[in-house]
Amino acid sequence: MLVLLAFIIVFHITSAALLFVATIDNAWWVGEEFFADIWKVCVNNTNCTELNDSVQDFSTVQAVQATMILSTILCCIAFLIFLLQLFRLKQGERFVLTSIIQLMACLCVMIAASIYTDRRKDIHEKNEDLYAQTSGGSFGYSFILAWVAFAFTFISGLMYLILRKRK
């Protein structure tokens, strides 16, 4: 039982770390001489422009930013609630609250990654002055980490739903 508990804790911390890196790091769209994410666009590793309300479809970018931040916060809250439930639940009860919050984090990261997947091309085309040199890029590791974090938070949420507290 102790090994299972350690695995679940490590899995949850890994999920949170993936969410932090995917949200903070600047590699959602990358190429030879540039990288772009949900916060800024950098060309030649020195010329960086922050995304603000002058960008067309900025509301789409804000939706991705907000849902990624929310998923990270929910994942951290779920971990704290898990620790509280670990000491407060009666024997045989399930970690339902932790599971619900973790599955909400899963939903948020899925929404963010889906919006970015669908709307990235439109945002780049509507803001050609900002994204002029980013046409030959591909999805970067932060984008991939967001999808991996989706899978991790989903599996973690299901584990909490199935798990019962034992002695």
Side-chain angles (χ1 to χ4, degrees):
M1 182 62 190
L2 196 57
V3 173
L4 179 63
L5 182 63
F7 172 74
I8 289 171
I9 290 172
V10 168
F11 199 77
H12 196 121
I13 291 172
T14 304
S15 300
L18 289 173
L19 286 170
F20 272 108
V21 171
T23 304
I24 295 170
D25 208 7
N26 193 21
W28 281 63
W29 185 254
V30 296
E32 289 289 324
E33 294 290 323
F34 68 89
F35 46 90
D37 72 343
I38 57 177
W39 305 104
K40 61 185 174 182
V41 177
C42 294
V43 179
N44 297 330
N45 294 331
T46 55
N47 185 13
C48 293
T49 306
E50 287 190 30
L51 301 178
N52 54 30
D53 40 344
S54 66
V55 173
Q56 289 185 8
D57 277 352
F58 185 60
S59 59
T60 303
V61 175
Q62 282 184 317
V64 175
Q65 291 172 343
T67 51
M68 283 303 293
I69 290 170
L70 186 60
S71 68
T72 306
I73 291 170
L74 286 172
C75 187
C76 293
I77 289 171
F79 184 68
L80 294 175
I81 289 176
F82 171 69
L83 293 177
L84 288 174
Q85 285 184 325
L86 196 58
F87 297 107
R88 303 297 275 172
L89 278 181
K90 295 177 185 170
Q91 187 175 351
E93 291 185 8
R94 295 184 187 270
F95 295 90
V96 176
L97 182 60
T98 302
S99 175
I100 290 170
I101 294 173
Q102 188 71 350
L103 289 173
M104 286 173 42
C106 169
L107 180 66
C108 286
V109 72
M110 181 195 68
I111 289 170
S114 297
I115 290 172
Y116 191 83
T117 303
D118 182 54
R119 304 294 299 170
R120 182 211 50 85
K121 188 174 181 182
D122 295 336
I123 294 169
H124 287 208
E125 287 174 357
K126 289 181 180 177
N127 299 288
E128 285 189 21
D129 56 323
L130 186 60
Y131 291 98
Q133 298 175 349
T134 66
S135 60
S138 62
F139 291 110
Y141 68 87
S142 291
F143 174 79
I144 295 166
L145 286 179
W147 280 111
V148 171
F150 161 70
F152 272 46
T153 53
F154 182 71
I155 292 168
S156 178
L158 291 180
M159 281 193 305
Y160 288 127
L161 192 59
I162 295 167
L163 185 67
R164 288 181 185 266
K165 185 177 178 186
R166 295 187 183 149
K167 267 189 170 180

